[in-house]
């Protein structure tokens, strides 16, 4: 999947209209905003079981550490020097982009080995000291803004593990207490996605009566979102660094922007964004991460499956298509994604944001 042209990304009449509407209706004042009490550590301890752990990364002037919470207690694990982790992250996106685009020829093996070396080093620095304390448990992962863009599902220490990248521990706990019973799914395919219809068809086959829009328009897609439990969008996407809420998905009649999500009366339980980059976030004051994924979560979606970087079309098609077998069978999204990765042998940067189990 290729990125959209950044020169004219939100410079369109529709983007200007949305910008004007945004001035009139502040993001912090939308109907989807609710104030929720922050969970205490005791409440979180009480909600955990022997198969679940919290790994909360904390960044401070003293460096990076991770708070591990299990039924046995709480531990704080200091990590390697931040400067070393920064160096590993500085070339990470370039390596990921190269592996997604250079699939054949003499350079393919070179770029793949470079990425594997970087991911292994990051895994040792970020995860090995902490995950030794959680055995084979599923993990609720929370991260500060400085770690946005890390493809956690691709780190060796996370292979085969069920995890969810939670916006906060309190939000995960709130949704964890609510039943999950998805019974309907809808699929929307944007233009110029070579295997988009194939991906939607494979996913829809797992659901009785699934609706598929191909090519999908903006109004059709938002209407579909309001009447299904699981929404899957296969489209070209882009994260707008300077205007995160103008991150969007290219559909048949224009771009579905983050601000459009604000107008959906009833949002799905789960949203799958099979599009490059829309899992990225920009960090604003207070380390708040804003982007297309967070827009859906803010609107009330329980979880979003998305990737922070470019993904090869073949990987997206086969992995996400297979994931729906588990979703339709009642598996939680984090479980379904991990199982699909095991079945297909595909290690991709797609990860579950929010409350994935």
């Amino acid at each position: 999947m290729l990125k959209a042209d950044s020169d004219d990304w939100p410079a369109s009449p529709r983007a200007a209209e949305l910008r004007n509407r945004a001035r009139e209706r502040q993001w912090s004042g939308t109907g989807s905003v609710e104030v929720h009490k922050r969970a205490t550590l005791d409440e979180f301890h009480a909600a955990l079981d022997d198969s679940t752990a919290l790994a909360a990364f904390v960044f401070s002037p003293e460096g990076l550490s991770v708070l591990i919470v299990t039924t046995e207690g709480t531990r704080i694990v200091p990590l390697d020097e931040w400067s070393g982790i920064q160096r590993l992250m500085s070339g990470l996106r370039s390596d990921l982009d190269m592996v997604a685009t250079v699939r054949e020829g003499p350079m393919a093996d070179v770029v793949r080995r470079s990425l594997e070396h970087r991911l292994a080093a990051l895994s040792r620095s970020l995860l090995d000291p902490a995950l030794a304390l959680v055995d084979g448990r599923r993990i609720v992962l929370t991260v500060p803004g400085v770690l946005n863009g890390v493809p956690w599902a691709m780190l060796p220490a996370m292979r085969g593990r069920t995890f969810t990248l939670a916006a906060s521990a309190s939000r995960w706990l709130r949704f964890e207490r609510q039943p999950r019973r998805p019974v309907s799914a809808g699929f929307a395919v944007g233009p110029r996605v070579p295997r988009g219809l194939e991906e939607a068809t494979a996913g829809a086959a797992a659901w009785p009566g699934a609706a598929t829009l191909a090519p999908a328009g903006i109004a059709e897609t938002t209407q579909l979102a309001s009447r299904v439990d699981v929404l899957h969008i296969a489209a070209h996407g882009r994260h707008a660094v300077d205007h995160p809420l103008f991150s969007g998905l290219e559909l048949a009649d224009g771009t579905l922007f983050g601000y459009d999500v604000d107008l959906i009366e009833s949002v799905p339980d789960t949203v799958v964004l099979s599009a490059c980059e829309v899992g990225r976030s920009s960090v604003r004051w207070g380390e708040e991460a804003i982007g297309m994924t967070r827009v859906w979560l803010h609107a009330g979606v329980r979880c979003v499956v998305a990737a922070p970087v470019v993904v090869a079309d073949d990987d997206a098609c086969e992995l996400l298509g297979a994931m729906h077998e588990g979703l339709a069978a009642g598996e939680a999204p984090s479980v379904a994604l991990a199982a699909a990765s095991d079945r297909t042998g595909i290690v991709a940067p797609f990860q579950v944001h929010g409350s994935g189990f």
Side-chain angles (χ1 to χ4, degrees):
M1 299 179 185
L2 299 178
K3 292 175 282 185
D5 188 346
S6 60
D7 292 337
D8 62 356
W9 180 251
S12 67
R14 189 163 172 278
E17 177 188 348
L18 284 170
R19 191 176 286 125
N20 289 334
R21 190 177 75 205
R23 291 192 185 102
E24 297 172 2
R25 181 176 181 173
Q26 293 294 326
W27 176 247
S28 60
T30 63
S32 60
V33 172
E34 298 178 49
V35 176
H36 294 279
K37 179 183 175 183
R38 180 178 297 178
T40 66
L41 187 58
D42 287 342
E43 288 175 319
F44 204 86
H45 267 299
L48 290 178
D49 55 35
D50 291 338
S51 65
T52 308
L54 168 69
F57 285 84
V58 180
F59 183 70
S60 70
E62 288 73 38
L64 189 66
S65 58
V66 58
L67 175 73
I68 298 295
V69 182
T70 66
T71 51
E72 288 83 26
T74 302
R75 292 275 299 276
I76 297 178
V77 182
L79 299 180
D80 288 349
E81 289 188 10
W82 172 240
S83 59
I85 296 172
Q86 268 188 311
R87 284 194 296 272
L88 289 170
M89 290 184 62
S90 64
L92 177 60
R93 189 178 172 209
S94 297
D95 280 356
L96 286 162
D97 288 352
M98 286 292 289
V99 166
T101 53
V102 181
R103 308 285 288 178
E104 298 178 350
M107 284 298 296
D109 191 51
V110 175
V111 297
R112 180 184 56 79
R113 286 201 306 269
S114 174
L115 175 62
E116 289 176 351
H117 175 77
R118 191 182 298 275
L119 291 173
L122 263 177
S123 186
R124 288 192 297 271
S125 296
L126 291 174
L127 294 172
D128 284 3
L131 296 193
L133 302 175
V134 302
D135 303 318
R137 295 175 234 215
R138 60 185 188 174
I139 301 169
V140 179
L141 192 66
T142 66
V143 301
V146 293
L147 294 179
N148 275 329
V150 173
W152 297 95
M154 299 184 76
L155 300 186
M158 295 296 276
R159 307 270 174 88
R161 287 185 180 268
T162 297
F163 76 96
T164 189
L165 196 59
S168 71
S170 297
R171 188 182 192 278
W172 175 83
L173 184 59
R174 187 171 78 250
F175 277 100
E176 191 271 340
R177 292 167 172 166
Q178 299 176 12
R180 184 194 303 271
R181 300 189 188 93
V183 297
S184 61
F187 296 79
V189 182
R192 302 183 301 106
V193 181
R195 298 187 66 182
L197 182 57
E198 180 184 350
E199 178 182 321
T201 301
W207 297 90
T212 300
L213 305 174
I218 298 167
E220 294 174 296
T221 301
T222 55
Q223 289 167 10
L224 180 64
S226 68
R227 64 175 192 266
V228 296
D229 300 317
V230 177
L231 176 68
H232 183 130
I233 303 177
H236 290 282
R238 182 180 182 274
H239 174 72
V241 177
D242 295 331
H243 306 280
L245 296 179
F246 283 93
S247 298
L249 302 160
E250 181 188 349
L251 298 180
D253 54 355
T255 302
L256 174 71
F257 291 109
Y259 278 113
D260 290 307
V261 177
D262 183 35
L263 301 180
I264 301 175
E265 293 183 6
S266 176
V267 294
D269 178 272
T270 299
V271 172
V272 181
L273 299 178
S274 179
C276 299
E277 289 200 318
V278 290
R280 290 179 62 201
S281 297
S282 290
V283 181
R284 295 295 184 252
W285 289 354
E287 289 193 342
E288 180 184 9
I290 306 174
M292 195 64 165
T293 300
R294 286 298 178 95
V295 168
W296 283 101
L297 293 175
H298 182 276
V301 169
R302 186 193 295 251
C303 67
V304 179
V305 180
V309 292
V310 173
V311 185
D313 288 309
D314 291 344
D315 287 350
C317 177
E318 295 172 25
L319 178 63
L320 298 183
M323 180 185 66
H324 282 277
E325 295 178 25
L327 291 178
E331 291 179 356
S334 293
V335 176
L337 182 61
S341 180
D342 286 342
R343 288 197 306 274
T344 62
I346 295 172
V347 179
F350 284 106
Q351 49 204 18
V352 182
H353 301 254
S355 302
F357 56 79

